[in-house]
Amino acid sequence: MTDLVDDTDLPLLMAAAESVLDEVSGSFVEGVGSPGVHYKGAHDFATEVDLALERRIRQALQTRTGIEVYGEEFGGPEAASGTRWILDPIDGTFNYSVGMPMASMLLALAVDGEPVIGLTRIPLIGQNFAGYAGGGLLVNGERVPMMDEAPLQTAVIGLGAFNARAEGRFPGAARAELQRLLSYRAGRMRMTGSNGIDVAYVAAGVFGGAVSFSANAWDNAAGAALVRAAGGIATDVTGRPWTVDSTSLVAGNGQLHAELLQVIGEAMPEQVAALRTGRR
C-alpha cells in the first residue's frame, strides 16, 4: 500500500476509484464507435479504447491505492485471494463499437474473492452507480433507498445475450427455455447487451432482477457489490453467494431472487444439478 489510502478504508478506496474513472470518462465518450481490432473469439473482441482505458485505469489505481488490478484485457494476479481491483474497461463492447450508448465501465474491489466495492459508469448517458459493503448505494452521487421486496410478476428482468445453438456450461437451448418461461412469469424482459448495466439497474430499482451466465469476474463483481450494498441478494444459479469464482450471477430482492432461482431451476435442471454436485 501507499500512504494515500488504507486498504481497509472502503469509503476512501471508493473515492479514489471514482476519481480515476472521472479522469477517463472523457476518453470513453470520445472513443464511441471505435471498431473491434483485437479478436478473442468469433464474436468477442476489444477495441483500441478498451486497451488504452485499461492501461490508464490500472496504472492510476495501483499508484493511488497500491492495490493490484485484475483486468479483462491484460489479466493480473489471481482475483480470488488477497485484495484486488477487478476491471472491465468497456462492458458491452459490441454496443460501444456500433455507437449504442448502453456500454459501461465496471470496477470492483474484492477481498479474498468477495466483492466489497462496486462502481458502474455509463458515460454515454451520464449514469454513475457506486456502493460499498454496509455503505448503501449512490446513483449520480445521491444516496438512494434500500431495495424493496417485489414479486417476479411485476418486475423487469435483465438477461444477457446468447446464441440458441451455443454449447457450454449453460447451453443456448437452456437459456432460450429460461427466456420462454420468464416471458409469462415476469413483468417484462430486457436485453441491454451489458451485464454490468443490467445488475446496476437491479441495485437502483430500475430492474427487479437480472441473470448473467458469464463466468468472468470482471463482468459481475461490480454489480454483485452494488446489489448487496443496496440490500439485495447476489448468488450463482444454485443460490450460493456470488464470489469471483462463480460461474453465473442471479441478482434481485429477497422475494424476487427466490422466484427467479425457481424458474432457472425449471429451465435448466441438469445444469443447476451438476453445479450443486460439483460436476461442472
Side-chain angles (χ1 to χ4, degrees):
M1 288 297 300
T2 68
D3 293 334
L4 296 179
V5 183
D6 182 342
D7 66 0
T8 63
D9 192 325
L10 298 184
L12 281 179
L13 284 167
M14 189 172 82
E18 287 189 291
S19 71
V20 172
L21 296 186
D22 286 342
E23 292 170 8
V24 302
S25 289
S27 296
F28 185 107
V29 172
E30 290 168 4
V32 67
S34 297
V37 293
H38 299 275
Y39 282 82
K40 311 172 195 179
H43 303 288
D44 189 15
F45 58 84
T47 69
E48 289 290 358
V49 183
D50 288 84
L51 305 183
L53 286 175
E54 182 160 323
R55 290 189 187 99
R56 286 182 62 188
I57 295 169
R58 178 184 295 267
Q59 181 177 5
L61 285 172
Q62 291 182 175
T63 298
R64 296 179 196 183
T65 70
I67 299 172
E68 293 184 283
V69 176
Y70 176 72
E72 177 177 8
E73 308 305 336
F74 299 111
E78 181 184 0
S81 62
T83 302
R84 303 281 184 264
W85 292 110
I86 301 175
L87 170 66
D88 187 346
I90 303 179
D91 183 52
T93 303
F94 201 105
N95 289 354
Y96 185 80
S97 71
V98 298
M100 289 178 61
M102 302 306 280
S104 56
M105 291 188 287
L106 309 179
L107 181 60
L109 185 74
V111 178
D112 294 329
E114 297 284 344
V116 294
I117 293 176
L119 299 101
T120 296
R121 294 288 182 97
I122 317 176
L124 296 170
I125 59 175
Q127 289 186 321
N128 304 325
F129 306 84
Y132 64 87
L137 177 71
L138 301 176
V139 178
N140 289 347
E142 298 293 328
R143 189 170 301 280
V144 299
M146 299 295 276
M147 197 178 295
D148 289 328
E149 296 290 293
L152 179 61
Q153 66 181 6
T154 63
V156 177
I157 303 299
L159 293 175
F162 67 94
N163 179 339
R165 294 175 294 180
E167 298 299 329
R169 182 179 288 108
F170 301 105
R175 301 190 199 192
E177 176 63 6
L178 174 60
Q179 188 176 58
R180 186 187 73 82
L181 293 179
L182 285 173
S183 71
Y184 57 85
R185 303 270 281 274
R188 289 288 189 276
M189 290 179 291
R190 294 291 182 264
M191 193 177 290
T192 67
S194 165
N195 289 332
I197 291 176
D198 290 347
V199 187
Y201 279 3
V202 173
V206 180
F207 289 178
V211 182
S212 166
F213 292 109
S214 173
N216 299 317
W218 55 75
D219 284 328
N220 295 327
L226 291 173
V227 166
R228 289 173 179 170
I233 299 175
T235 71
D236 68 6
V237 296
T238 72
R240 297 188 186 104
W242 191 91
T243 72
V244 299
D245 290 326
S246 298
T247 58
S248 57
L249 173 64
V250 181
N253 66 69
Q255 178 182 354
L256 184 147
H257 181 271
E259 295 180 60
L260 196 49
L261 285 181
Q262 181 177 346
V263 179
I264 292 169
E266 294 173 18
M268 47 185 69
E270 294 180 7
Q271 289 75 25
V272 173
L275 287 168
R276 282 188 175 137
T277 57
R279 297 198 304 272
R280 11 185 1 174

